[in-house]
Amino acid sequence: MKKIIIFLFASFMLSSCESQKTVTETKNTETSKLTDQQLMDKVQKDALKYFWDYAEPNSLLGRERYHEDNIYPQNDKHVVTTGGSGFGLATVLVGVERGFIPRDEAVKRLNTMMDFLAKADRFHGAWSHWINGETGKVVPFGRKDNGGDLVETAFLTSGILMVREYFKDGNPEEKALAQKCDELWKGIEWNWYTKGGEKVLYWHWSPEYQWEMNFPLQGYNECLITYILAASSPTHAIDAETYYQGWTRNGTYLTDKSKYGLPLYVKHNYSEEYGGPLFWAHYSYIGLDPTGLSDKLIKNYFDLNKNQVLIDYQYCVENPKNWKGYGENYWGLTASYTRNNDGGVGYTAHQPTEDRGVITPTAALSSFPYSPKESMNFLRFMYTQKPEFIGSAGPFDATSIHYDNWFTPRYLAIDQGTIAPMIENYRTGFLWKLFMNAPEIKQGLKKLEFKSEKYNIK
């Protein structure tokens, strides 16, 4: 009898596994038949779910993190992220423009978000890095980081301005939404963050700790958009001298170094050999169109970003550490969750000099404008060959073929939020057009001596 039970159990398990295998194979076959355009639609729709289906329920802004396993070690399920919510605003606009979500429903949600932001804690107009989505109160990002975060505010403001531009000529409800966006934008005291008139912007200010964080924004990293917005403000602007003395370090951030035959153009902070993590080519460029964009020092920002992405790609193809899986279809290093040495989940800024064998899907997917062929190869590989790496809101945040197809069933707003916008910028330039055609942005770019034939900025 015991042998019969064991035999029946084994037969059941074999049948169940075969059934599951058949379902998976069928899904893979169906996905493999999708065109490139359909695959881009799919990943954009999936990424949108993070900000539409899984938004923080009171503020409707983007949660800092969403975990499919519902395990939140820091008990922070209710915490929203300022910068990630800015990327979320751009993602929602993509959803509306592509017909993924109803326009009128989006307007209602966006009104709720703007009303929440108007009442949330602000510090000379800037929001904190994290906000309690239930109360609007600051949630400290660190012990002394409990006040205004100018960089996160910039990422959010970029999204707010795009919402304003998209709806400003719409129906009365849409015009009212645009007006709310305009008021939030004009209330940010960018020049306060020069610490009394220094020729550089500072990242943080706290009413309790004042300027003790002492973090000047100097290039090159992800923070360029902060200076663009600060120079463009109609109410609290900085001057061009602050940009060139502060951000460009008086021009000393230029470099003549190359990697894999690709010029880097600028010294990436602490990453001068290969360039930094790939989010540096994404965050500032959700709205800021680098195509043919130049200033007094950089001839073409698109080339700067493209080369950073292709250096990262070439590094992964070269694969000097011999990680299993790395190659033309599986590449991309950026800040994300990671696999710790003990197999647990951590966080790090993956890049060639900090390579743990972990590939972050947003790195390649958000690089579509710069590496369309390489990014499409990655997208198709993920959805057809690695379905275990795909969750309810698209590819999970961090993956590793090397470690027996390890992944964490978790998402971060700052990673998921750049996917749909950057793919859309590759497809249509939709968000770039919104942001670059905002009147204040054109004036701010001219003030900083940027040029763009595409947008008639001379």
Side-chain angles (χ1 to χ4, degrees), residues 279-394:
F279 73 88
W280 291 7
H282 306 149
Y283 286 7
S284 280
Y285 303 96
I286 300 293
L288 184 68
D289 186 351
T291 311
L293 185 70
S294 65
D295 62 18
K296 288 198 298 184
L297 299 174
I298 305 299
K299 291 183 179 179
N300 192 326
Y301 276 89
F302 189 88
D303 289 345
L304 189 161
N305 292 338
K306 179 180 179 180
N307 286 3
Q308 186 199 347
V309 169
L310 292 180
I311 287 168
D312 187 283
Y313 169 78
Q314 291 290 351
Y315 168 84
C316 291
V317 171
E318 181 186 45
N319 192 16
K321 293 189 175 182
N322 296 312
W323 300 112
K324 182 180 176 183
Y326 275 32
E328 294 180 354
N329 296 329
Y330 189 64
W331 62 277
L333 306 175
T334 194
S336 72
Y337 280 128
T338 194
R339 181 190 181 279
N340 292 332
N341 291 333
D342 62 3
V345 179
Y347 185 89
T348 197
H350 305 103
Q351 52 189 302
T353 53
E354 181 60 33
D355 177 15
R356 299 188 180 186
V358 172
I359 294 296
T360 302
T362 190
L365 295 176
S366 299
S367 295
F368 252 98
Y370 315 117
S371 55
K373 178 178 177 291
E374 296 84 355
S375 294
M376 179 54 70
N377 288 343
F378 178 89
L379 172 58
R380 189 166 290 280
F381 175 74
M382 289 294 282
Y383 273 85
T384 61
Q385 304 300 315
K386 290 294 172 188
E388 64 269 37
F389 290 167
I390 310 292
S392 61

Side-chain angles (χ1 to χ4, degrees), residues 18-34:
E18 286 297 323
S19 176
Q20 182 62 41
K21 183 180 178 184
T22 302
V23 170
T24 301
E25 287 177 348
T26 300
K27 286 183 177 179
N28 288 355
T29 301
E30 291 173 354
T31 305
S32 66
K33 291 178 180 177
L34 295 178

Side-chain angles (χ1 to χ4, degrees), residues 171-233:
N171 63 37
E173 187 179 6
E174 292 173 358
K175 287 180 178 177
L177 168 62
Q179 181 60 33
K180 291 177 183 179
C181 294
D182 193 57
E183 290 171 4
L184 291 174
W185 152 239
K186 288 176 178 175
I188 303 165
E189 298 176 29
W190 303 92
N191 54 0
W192 167 264
Y193 285 81
T194 59
K195 198 196 288 190
E198 292 184 22
K199 294 302 179 182
V200 67
L201 288 172
Y202 282 84
W203 198 311
H204 313 92
W205 179 81
S206 158
E208 184 176 359
Y209 297 103
Q210 307 296 310
W211 303 104
E212 286 185 36
M213 292 287 288
N214 196 34
F215 199 132
L217 300 182
Q218 297 174 303
Y220 186 81
N221 52 25
E222 76 274 26
C223 302
L224 172 61
I225 192 65
T226 315
Y227 278 90
I228 302 299
L229 289 166
S232 302
S233 171

Side-chain angles (χ1 to χ4, degrees), residues 44 48 89-101 420-422 424-425 430-431:
Q44 284 182 305
L48 171 63
L89 295 177
T91 299
V92 168
L93 290 179
V94 171
V96 174
E97 183 70 1
R98 287 217 161 257
F100 298 157
I101 51 178
M422 289 304 279
E424 194 59 37
N425 281 331
F430 166 59
L431 296 166

Side-chain angles (χ1 to χ4, degrees), residues 101-289:
I101 51 178
R103 185 181 177 102
D104 59 346
E105 181 61 29
V107 171
K108 290 177 183 176
R109 285 194 175 212
L110 290 165
N111 265 304
T112 298
M113 295 180 207
M114 298 309 141
D115 290 342
F116 177 86
L117 289 170
K119 296 177 182 177
D121 285 348
R122 297 176 76 176
F123 306 88
H124 291 275
W127 290 274
S128 53
H129 188 128
W130 284 340
I131 304 172
N132 185 319
E134 296 168 350
T135 66
K137 298 298 181 184
V138 59
V139 175
F141 189 70
R143 190 174 72 83
K144 293 183 178 181
D145 191 355
N146 65 347
D149 183 312
L150 199 66
V151 176
E152 291 288 311
T153 293
F155 299 148
L156 174 60
T157 304
S158 179
I160 289 172
L161 278 176
M162 286 184 274
V163 171
R164 186 195 73 180
E165 290 300 294
Y166 190 65
F167 291 109
K168 68 181 183 181
D169 297 321
N171 63 37
E173 187 179 6
E174 292 173 358
K175 287 180 178 177
L177 168 62
Q179 181 60 33
K180 291 177 183 179
C181 294
D182 193 57
E183 290 171 4
L184 291 174
W185 152 239
K186 288 176 178 175
I188 303 165
E189 298 176 29
W190 303 92
N191 54 0
W192 167 264
Y193 285 81
T194 59
K195 198 196 288 190
E198 292 184 22
K199 294 302 179 182
V200 67
L201 288 172
Y202 282 84
W203 198 311
H204 313 92
W205 179 81
S206 158
E208 184 176 359
Y209 297 103
Q210 307 296 310
W211 303 104
E212 286 185 36
M213 292 287 288
N214 196 34
F215 199 132
L217 300 182
Q218 297 174 303
Y220 186 81
N221 52 25
E222 76 274 26
C223 302
L224 172 61
I225 192 65
T226 315
Y227 278 90
I228 302 299
L229 289 166
S232 302
S233 171
T235 51
H236 304 281
I238 60 167
D239 58 22
E241 194 179 1
T242 303
Y243 172 75
Y244 283 103
Q245 281 195 29
W247 174 248
T248 79
R249 301 175 187 261
N250 280 315
T252 63
Y253 82 153
L254 296 176
T255 183
D256 58 2
K257 289 184 179 179
S258 297
K259 193 70 179 180
Y260 304 117
L262 298 165
L264 282 155
Y265 299 112
V266 292
K267 298 172 184 176
H268 289 238
N269 293 345
Y270 311 109
S271 303
E272 291 187 26
E273 182 181 0
Y274 293 90
L278 286 191
F279 73 88
W280 291 7
H282 306 149
Y283 286 7
S284 280
Y285 303 96
I286 300 293
L288 184 68
D289 186 351

